[in-house]
């Protein structure tokens, strides 16, 4: 409408007049007279009835659909019942055929249906067919093998193309027995029934390029060692918190996790100011670009939804839980190292693991995680308590930890050596998930015993202790005053003896208790010892 057109000349404004209950509403243009309305009402009624008929027809003839996780080229978990589910018209019969087995069910009143087919050994390729009343879906090139979910933040998300070994290994990434799927970033207020993803694909130099480097190296070693197809689901988001990946009810059921919600409150309280600051920064960036100057650097500010408790679980994990898996590999913790968040990490991480296992309903599957590496960080973050929390999480059944204190980059939170990380996770899987007899862990603190003016530190996984790449540094001891001092460390068999003449009666010890410590203690398998503290 042009600026010269009188207001309402061509506009029709409807007034809604309510009628008695169970009746309809009259939609009457206020500039129409009664005779005109009476004359046009039958036409309007027929239009409304036609639309209603079309809507009913769509509902009555809804096609059978599958979630995005069920797609051609996928891997289904061997030796477990094959779960196929989806949507259809309420009451509609749905038949699924896979590996010679056929099962039929009908959709419930909400249009949901579930079918479980018999378990089977590794193999393929197979075809899976789902049929409804009006359509049929065929999934081709389906393999049976082991399915692993790769979760966490940026060091797990870190793409293969950025890894230090990419130039050598990406050209050789083609492998029909490794299948990859990337889940798109999605934050949601409640658990979603489906996810955003890019579909399953066989590993190729192209598909592996943007896939998690850690997860790809892990899958490569497992496939080569176990000789079964391996499917990996990359569900990661850089810079995210553990609580964002944890179900809201699980968080709320534990009063000890109340600080999670307090921290969330602090973030939302500051958000209005943060958005204004970001607007100013955008103007400064635009000004610098216009003047040909370098882009100014500012502190990173996370999106509000990506840090929301449970919001990434809802969007990126909940839709996966009906899909049976072999286990999870996890790399996260850096974002929880803020001083106000670090004290709750042990309780939080344990809650995440236990609740994921409950939601998947396939038992205490292996949950293998990476202990965060060495990085200088800032005075606003404290990394040692996060590593200690991860170490203590090994109390949970079927957990394993890859220590990376020796392969980080003190000046870059994203070290590029992802091959070693994937290998150490694969060592844990080969032992914990596949029962292979091998050393899969570096030395882990067991206990400390007092011996006069010294402390003796006992370890698990301690055969062949050695100082590798330098002297035994990073050990400290303290007396009853709790003041830690550097200790002289001596290897004695499978133990370490700590002394310091300034601490005549030591009662506690710690190792690698800095954001970026120098650590040189290894076992005979060449695996580094985890940092630890004897204080509880």
């Amino acid at each position: 409408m042009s600026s010269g057109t009188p207001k309402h000349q061509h506009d029709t404004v409807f007034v809604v007049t309510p009628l008695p209950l169970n009746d309809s509403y009259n939609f009457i243009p206020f500039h129409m007279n009664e005779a005109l309305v009476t004359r046009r009402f039958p036409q309007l009624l027929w239009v409304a009835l036609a639309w209603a008929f079309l809507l009913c027809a769509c509902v009555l003839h809804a096609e059978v659909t599958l979630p995005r996780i069920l797609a051609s080229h996928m891997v289904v978990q061997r030796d477990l019942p094959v779960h196929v589910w989806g949507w259809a018209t309420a009451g509609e019969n749905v038949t699924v055929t896979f590996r010679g087995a056929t099962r039929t069910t009908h959709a419930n009143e909400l249009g949901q249906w579930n079918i479980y087919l018999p378990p089977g050994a590794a193999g393929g390729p197979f075809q899976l067919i789902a049929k409804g009343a009006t359509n049929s879906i065929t999934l081709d090139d389906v393999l049976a093998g082991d399915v692993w979910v790769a979760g966490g933040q940026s060091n797990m998300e870190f793409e293969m193309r950025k890894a230090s070994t990419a130039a050598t290994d990406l050209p050789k990434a083609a492998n029909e027995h490794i299948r990859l799927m990337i889940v798109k970033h999605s934050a949601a207020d409640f658990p979603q029934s489906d996810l955003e993803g890019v579909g399953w694909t066989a590993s190729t130099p192209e598909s592996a390029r943007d896939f998690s480097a850690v997860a790809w190296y892990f899958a490569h070693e497992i496939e080569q060692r176990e000789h079964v197809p391996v499917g990996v689901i990359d569900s990661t988001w850089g810079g995210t918190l553990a609580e964002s990946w944890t179900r809201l009810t699980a968080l709320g059921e534990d009063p000890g996790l109340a600080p999670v919600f307090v921290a969330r409150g602090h973030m939302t309280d500051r958000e209005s100011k943060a958005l204004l600051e970001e607007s100013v920064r955008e103007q400064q960036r635009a000004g610098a670009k216009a003047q040909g100057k370098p882009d100014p650097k500012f502190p990173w500010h996370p999106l509000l939804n990506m840090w929301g408790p449970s919001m990434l679980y809802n969007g990126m994990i909940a839709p996966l839980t009906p899909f049976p898996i072999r286990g999870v590999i996890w790399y996260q913790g850096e974002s929880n190292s803020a001083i106000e968040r670090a004290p709750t990490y042990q309780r939080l991480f344990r809650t995440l693991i236990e609740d994921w296992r409950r939601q998947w309903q396939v038992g205490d599957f292996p949950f293998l995680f990476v202990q965060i590496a060495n990085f200088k960080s800032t005075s606003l973050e404290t990394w040692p308590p996060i590593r200690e929390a991860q170490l203590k999480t090994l109390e949970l059944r079927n957990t394993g930890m890859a220590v990376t204190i020796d392969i980080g980059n003190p000046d870059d939170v994203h070290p590029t050596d992802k091959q070693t990380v994937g290998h150490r996770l694969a060592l844990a899987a080969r032992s914990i998930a596949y029962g292979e007899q091998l050393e899969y862990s570096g030395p882990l603190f067991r206990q400390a015993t007092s011996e006069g003016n010294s402390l003796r530190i006992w370890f698990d996984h301690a055969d062949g202790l050695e100082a590798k790449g330098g002297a035994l540094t990073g050990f400290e001891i303290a007396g009853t005053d709790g003041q830690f001092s550097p200790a002289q460390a001596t290897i004695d068999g499978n133990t370490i003896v700590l002394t310091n003449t300034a601490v005549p009666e030591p009662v506690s010890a710690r190792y690698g208790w800095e954001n970026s410590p120098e650590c040189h203690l290894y076992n005979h398998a060449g695996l580094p010892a985890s940092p630890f503290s004897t204080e509880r």
Side-chain angles (χ1 to χ4, degrees):
M1 185 166 62
S2 68
S3 60
T5 304
K7 188 177 176 70
H8 302 310
Q9 180 172 329
H10 300 298
D11 294 348
T12 299
V13 179
F14 290 91
V15 177
V16 181
T17 306
L19 294 177
L21 191 63
N22 296 327
D23 208 331
S24 60
Y25 286 87
N26 285 332
F27 295 85
I28 304 175
F30 68 75
H31 63 281
M32 289 185 178
N33 60 38
E34 185 176 349
L36 179 60
V37 173
T38 303
R39 198 164 54 247
R40 293 190 60 187
F41 184 76
Q43 300 173 9
L44 295 171
L45 180 62
W46 279 111
V47 170
L49 289 173
W51 275 108
F53 175 80
L54 289 172
L55 289 172
C56 290
C58 290
V59 172
L60 290 173
H61 298 289
E63 292 188 336
V64 167
T65 58
L66 298 173
R68 292 181 179 88
I69 189 68
L70 302 180
S72 293
H73 316 298
M74 69 177 176
V75 176
V76 297
Q77 181 57 47
R78 60 174 172 151
D79 302 327
L80 288 178
V82 177
H83 185 199
V84 183
W85 72 99
W87 303 271
T89 302
E92 180 179 357
N93 284 340
V94 179
T95 299
V96 177
T97 300
F98 181 62
R99 286 189 301 206
T102 299
R103 298 289 186 271
T104 299
T105 189
H106 64 272
N108 65 17
E109 66 275 9
L110 299 178
Q112 304 163 318
W113 56 269
N114 289 273
I115 284 177
Y116 287 88
L117 295 118
F126 304 106
Q127 192 175 72
L128 186 150
I129 301 174
K131 291 183 179 180
T134 62
N135 73 305
S136 176
I137 300 172
T138 299
L139 307 184
D140 293 313
D141 189 32
V142 176
L143 301 180
D146 287 339
V147 181
W148 291 84
V149 172
Q153 58 179 106
S154 54
N155 272 308
M156 182 63 87
E157 187 176 37
F158 194 93
E159 298 91 339
M160 186 69 177
R161 60 186 164 84
K162 298 178 182 177
S164 58
T165 48
T168 300
D169 293 337
L170 258 183
K172 302 181 293 185
N175 189 330
E176 279 291 321
H177 294 109
I178 296 177
R179 303 297 172 88
L180 312 174
M181 181 179 185
I182 299 177
V183 177
K184 292 183 180 179
H185 292 173
S186 176
D189 289 318
F190 56 89
Q192 302 296 293
S193 58
D194 203 358
L195 51 77
E196 294 294 329
V198 297
W200 287 92
T201 180
S203 176
T204 66
E206 293 74 29
S207 63
R209 175 179 171 80
D210 292 321
F211 198 76
S212 162
V214 170
W216 188 88
Y217 279 113
F218 171 86
H220 175 73
E221 181 165 341
I222 296 302
E223 190 275 330
Q224 292 291 305
R225 289 282 181 172
E226 305 302 325
H227 307 292
V228 297
V230 176
V232 187
I233 303 167
D234 179 349
S235 187
T236 55
W237 191 335
T240 53
L241 301 166
E243 54 262 43
S244 301
W245 297 98
T246 308
R247 194 169 58 99
L248 193 61
T249 302
L251 294 172
E253 287 174 339
D254 186 350
L257 292 177
V260 166
F261 299 98
V262 174
R264 177 62 172 175
H266 290 164
M267 184 177 184
T268 57
D269 289 345
R270 296 189 296 261
E271 187 64 11
S272 179
K273 180 182 178 182
L275 291 176
L276 291 174
E277 291 173 343
E278 184 59 28
S279 177
V280 172
R281 291 168 181 170
E282 282 299 321
Q283 295 173 19
Q284 293 175 351
R285 292 187 186 101
K289 183 177 181 181
Q291 298 174 30
K293 296 180 179 180
D295 196 19
K297 304 297 182 183
F298 301 105
W300 176 72
H301 179 69
L303 299 174
L304 193 64
N305 62 356
M306 68 185 280
W307 272 25
S310 83
M311 293 190 73
L312 305 188
Y313 171 85
N314 292 337
M316 301 175 66
I317 298 299
L320 302 177
T321 57
F323 193 66
I325 61 173
R326 185 62 183 263
V328 168
I329 55 175
W330 176 263
Y331 195 162
Q332 190 275 337
E334 297 93 339
S335 289
N336 284 89
S337 66
I339 291 174
E340 71 170 337
R341 296 181 184 275
T344 60
Y345 192 76
Q346 181 183 351
R347 199 161 191 156
L348 176 59
F349 190 30
R350 186 183 187 109
T351 297
L352 182 151
I353 295 172
E354 292 178 328
D355 193 64
W356 280 27
R357 287 172 169 175
R358 282 193 295 269
Q359 300 313 307
W360 250 284
Q361 298 182 18
V362 290
D364 290 341
F365 55 74
F367 197 107
L368 315 175
F369 53 90
V370 181
Q371 187 185 58
I372 58 175
N374 50 310
F375 175 61
K376 291 177 183 176
S377 190
T378 72
S379 60
L380 299 177
E381 295 182 339
T382 176
W383 288 41
I386 301 297
R387 297 190 190 105
E388 182 72 2
Q390 292 169 327
L391 175 62
K392 291 179 178 178
T393 302
L394 293 174
E395 296 169 358
L396 291 178
R397 185 171 179 267
N398 286 338
T399 55
M401 182 175 73
V403 177
T404 61
I405 199 66
D406 60 329
I407 55 173
N409 183 337
D411 300 311
D412 190 342
V413 73
H414 301 122
T416 59
D417 179 4
K418 302 305 185 189
Q419 182 180 35
T420 302
V421 183
H423 168 63
R424 290 177 182 175
L425 284 171
L427 287 177
R430 287 163 57 188
S431 176
I432 296 169
Y434 298 103
E436 188 175 343
Q437 298 298 310
L438 81 165
E439 181 56 273
Y440 67 91
S441 173
L444 303 177
F445 170 73
R446 183 198 305 167
Q447 68 178 33
T449 56
S450 179
E451 298 183 359
N453 63 351
S454 65
L455 277 181
R456 185 178 295 273
I457 308 299
W458 303 77
F459 298 90
D460 295 316
H461 305 280
D463 287 347
L465 290 182
E466 64 172 323
K468 184 178 177 182
L472 274 184
T473 58
F475 284 95
E476 299 172 278
I477 55 176
T480 55
D481 60 359
Q483 299 300 309
F484 281 92
S485 301
Q488 180 179 344
T490 304
I491 296 174
D492 184 11
N494 293 340
T495 67
I496 300 288
V497 178
L498 304 177
T499 59
N500 183 322
T501 55
V503 187
E505 297 182 6
V507 297
S508 56
R510 62 191 189 187
Y511 171 67
W513 205 256
E514 297 176 14
N515 284 357
S516 184
E518 286 286 335
C519 296
H520 301 288
L521 181 61
Y522 291 75
N523 61 15
H524 76 283
L527 297 172
S530 168
F532 68 87
S533 172
T534 65
E535 295 183 307
R536 292 292 184 252

